[in-house]
């Protein structure tokens, strides 16, 4: 039996994700165990997840994933480089993963691996480090800098159309595996469509489009693009006032923080180069986060950077914390196969596993600091659901067992 990891957000879990699970089992064997390393309460866009992490994990298991482990905050919100590094680190430290599977627009693992290998060349590493040390260049965002540099350094080898979002993330996964000298084999599946797409012929409706449908209460259309196994839980969560969580739900918290909070650009991640000053000024005019990003929009900063900066500032996330490796992961959901795998992981893991959230005190001091920061993010997330919950809600939630 092969064990394959995927790094995902499942925001929400849709038919494209079910297709990935199907393809993995077709290529590795029907008895393959799939471990999803899934973002927790906040996702890479710098926004709260549309549905709580335990419910998203349960949907994944109901659709064929064996075990769901959390990629905790703030790693779940980091830029592509650090998001990929953190997810790969968790997969590697489990000690039992054979392959890491991910979607890509090109679907060619040899080409993606070739790019990742060229990125390791000394001249390229020095040039990239130099570009990233420039405030003006760094503001472009890592994906754009990387694509520009690869086209400049290896002109003719790669087309600039290759450097699409999921290809960049795929390259980051492969690079992280190489950096760790991991025995995990990279594996890619051709991705159909983009996050923004509706359901076009031969493609799946994307996550951004589906969130829009859920947020606009267009549930019948949204459900037509979500696996049937997830429908009952979606209805249950919506009736309970736990979903959908709006991306703008953080507006009062972040705008008030920017308007009156004591803010240090150097102290928090993604906040340097004047981005927080720009956001602080825009916050005085903005009435919600959409207006904030519109007022602050500039060629100098990516939208993702504008989203992450106030979130990291609000939670006090430092640059050093983003660059750390995850020292713990929380068990969110499993089936019978996943429960057996969990037993195997406990014998091989070089990362702490939390099965009961209340067992926080059993972690090492460094891992406990990471978990406490993630739990603070969870406690804020519970205020963002249509019907707010107590801060301790997630501390009382046990992993789902199918």
């Amino acid at each position: 039996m092969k064990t394959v990891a995927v790094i995902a957000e499942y925001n929400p879990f849709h038919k494209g994700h079910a297709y990935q699970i199907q393809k993995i089992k077709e290529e590795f064997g029907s008895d393959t165990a799939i471990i999803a390393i899934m973002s927790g309460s906040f996702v890479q866009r710098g926004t709260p997840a549309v549905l709580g992490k335990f419910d998203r994990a349960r949907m994944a298991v109901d659709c064929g994933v064996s075990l769901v482990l959390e990629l905790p905050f703030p790693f779940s919100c980091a830029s592509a480089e650090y998001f990929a590094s953190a997810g790969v680190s968790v997969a590697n430290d489990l000690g039992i993963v054979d392959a890491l599977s991910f979607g890509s627009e090109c679907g060619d693992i040899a080409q993606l691996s070739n790019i990742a290998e060229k990125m390791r060349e000394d001249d390229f590493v020095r040039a990239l480090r130099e570009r990233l040390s420039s405030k003006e260049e760094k503001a472009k965002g890592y994906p754009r800098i990387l694509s520009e540099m690869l086209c400049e350094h290896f002109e003719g080898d790669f087309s600039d159309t290759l450097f699409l979002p999921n290809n960049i993330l795929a390259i980051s996964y492969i690079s992280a595996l190489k950096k760790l000298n991991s025995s995990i084999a990279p594996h890619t599946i051709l991705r159909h469509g983009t996050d923004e797409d509706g359901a076009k012929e031969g493609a799946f409706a994307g996550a951004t489009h589906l969130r829009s449908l859920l947020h606009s209460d267009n549930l019948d259309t949204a459900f037509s693009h979500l696996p049937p196994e997830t429908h009952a839980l979606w209805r249950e969560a919506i009736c309970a006032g736990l979903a959908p969580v709006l991306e703008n739900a953080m507006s009062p918290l972040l705008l008030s923080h920017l308007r009156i909070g004591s803010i240090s650009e150097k102290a928090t991640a993604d906040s340097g180069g004047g981005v927080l000053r720009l956001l602080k000024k825009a916050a005085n005019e903005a009435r919600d986060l959409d207006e904030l990003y519109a007022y602050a929009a500039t060629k100098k900063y990516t939208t993702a950077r504008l989203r992450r900066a106030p979130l990291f500032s609000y939670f006090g996330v430092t640059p050093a914390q983003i660059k750390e490796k995850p020292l713990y992961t929380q068990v969110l959901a499993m089936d019978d196969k996943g429960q057996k795998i969990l037993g195997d992981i406990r014998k091989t893991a070089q990362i702490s596993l939390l099965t009961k959230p209340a067992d926080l005190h059993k972690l090492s001091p460094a891992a406990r600091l990471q978990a406490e920061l993630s739990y603070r993010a969870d406690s804020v997330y519970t205020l963002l659901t249509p019907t707010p919950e107590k801060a301790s809600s997630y501390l009382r939630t046990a992993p789902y067992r199918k």
Side-chain angles (χ1 to χ4, degrees):
M1 180 182 75
K2 293 288 186 181
T3 302
V4 178
V6 296
I7 300 168
E9 294 186 326
Y10 296 152
N11 187 40
F13 189 98
H14 55 65
K15 289 183 177 179
H17 298 128
Y19 172 79
Q20 182 189 26
I21 292 168
Q22 173 194 331
K23 293 298 290 183
I24 289 171
K25 291 187 176 182
E26 285 177 4
E27 296 188 30
F28 288 91
S30 59
D31 64 341
T32 299
I34 298 174
I35 300 174
I37 299 163
M38 188 194 79
S39 301
S41 296
F42 291 86
V43 297
Q44 203 190 6
R45 287 168 52 84
T47 61
V50 70
L51 178 66
K53 61 185 182 182
F54 284 100
D55 283 338
R56 284 164 31 239
R58 176 176 174 176
M59 290 177 180
V61 167
D62 285 344
C63 291
V65 172
S66 300
L67 176 66
V68 182
L69 304 174
E70 182 180 2
L71 180 64
F73 180 86
F75 306 108
S76 62
C77 296
S79 61
E81 178 186 10
Y82 298 118
F83 176 89
S85 293
V88 167
S89 176
V90 173
N92 189 66
D93 285 350
L94 296 178
I96 66 163
V97 174
D98 297 304
L100 176 69
S101 185
F102 40 80
S104 64
E105 289 91 352
C106 77
D108 186 340
I109 196 65
Q111 188 172 41
L112 295 170
S113 296
N114 185 26
I115 296 171
E117 190 60 41
K118 286 184 178 296
M119 285 174 57
R120 291 163 58 84
E121 294 182 9
D122 291 342
D123 288 346
F124 185 88
V125 171
R126 281 194 296 270
L128 179 60
R129 189 180 298 121
E130 189 175 313
R131 287 278 284 272
L132 290 173
S133 66
S134 163
K135 290 182 180 179
E136 192 71 30
E137 287 292 312
K138 192 175 181 179
K140 293 179 179 179
Y142 180 76
R144 182 178 167 190
I145 291 174
L146 185 59
S147 62
E148 286 180 359
M149 287 195 59
L150 285 164
C151 289
E152 291 169 9
H153 278 250
F154 306 110
E155 187 176 359
D157 289 357
F158 309 115
S159 164
D160 57 0
T161 59
L162 180 63
F163 301 105
L164 298 169
N166 287 279
N167 286 343
I168 290 287
L169 195 53
I171 294 163
S172 297
Y173 289 142
I174 298 169
S175 297
L177 287 170
K178 290 178 179 291
K179 187 175 181 180
L180 290 174
N181 196 26
S182 176
S183 62
I184 296 174
H187 171 263
T188 195
I189 294 171
L190 180 65
R191 181 186 171 97
H192 298 276
T194 70
D195 279 348
E196 287 73 23
D197 284 344
K200 299 178 181 177
E201 188 174 349
F204 299 104
T208 300
H209 177 70
L210 288 170
R211 288 193 298 272
S212 177
L213 292 174
L214 290 165
H215 291 153
S216 61
D217 205 30
N218 196 342
L219 300 183
D220 288 342
T221 304
F223 282 10
S224 71
H225 302 305
L226 301 174
E229 296 89 342
T230 70
H231 293 181
L233 186 53
W234 266 112
R235 292 192 179 95
E236 183 182 322
I238 290 169
C239 287
L242 301 179
V245 175
L246 298 174
E247 294 187 357
N248 247 335
M250 284 285 287
S251 292
L253 300 179
L254 294 187
L255 288 177
S256 61
H257 171 68
L258 288 169
R259 288 183 182 185
I260 66 173
S262 177
I263 294 174
S264 169
E265 292 193 357
K266 293 183 179 179
T268 56
D270 278 334
S271 297
V275 65
L276 269 187
R277 288 195 300 273
L278 178 66
L279 286 164
K280 192 171 178 65
K281 182 179 179 181
N284 289 321
E285 303 296 326
R287 292 166 294 182
D288 61 28
L289 291 180
D290 284 340
E291 287 192 357
L292 175 72
Y293 305 135
Y295 286 138
T298 169
K299 292 181 180 179
K300 187 177 180 181
Y301 304 115
T302 63
T303 302
R305 174 87 180 275
L306 294 176
R307 289 180 182 276
R308 287 194 300 265
L311 187 70
F312 287 159
S313 178
Y314 179 81
F315 285 110
V317 178
T318 68
Q321 287 172 317
I322 289 291
K323 295 175 183 177
E324 292 174 351
K325 62 176 284 185
L327 300 175
Y328 88 102
T329 181
Q330 184 169 339
V331 180
L332 299 178
M334 70 192 90
D335 61 11
D336 289 341
K337 188 184 295 182
Q339 192 162 4
K340 179 184 180 302
I341 293 168
L342 193 59
D344 295 336
I345 290 172
R346 293 190 187 283
K347 301 172 187 175
T348 59
Q350 298 179 49
I351 184 171
S352 296
L353 296 173
L354 267 181
T355 305
K356 297 178 181 178
D359 284 347
L360 183 68
H361 64 281
K362 296 181 180 180
L363 297 177
S364 69
R368 188 163 62 247
L369 285 174
Q370 287 187 351
E372 287 171 347
L373 174 58
S374 188
Y375 283 176
R376 286 200 295 275
D378 286 345
S379 73
V380 170
Y381 182 85
T382 61
L383 292 172
L384 308 180
T385 53
T387 301
E389 296 184 284
K390 295 180 180 179
S392 59
S393 296
Y394 281 179
L395 290 173
R396 299 195 308 268
T397 303
Y400 168 68
R401 286 180 169 85
K402 182 180 179 183

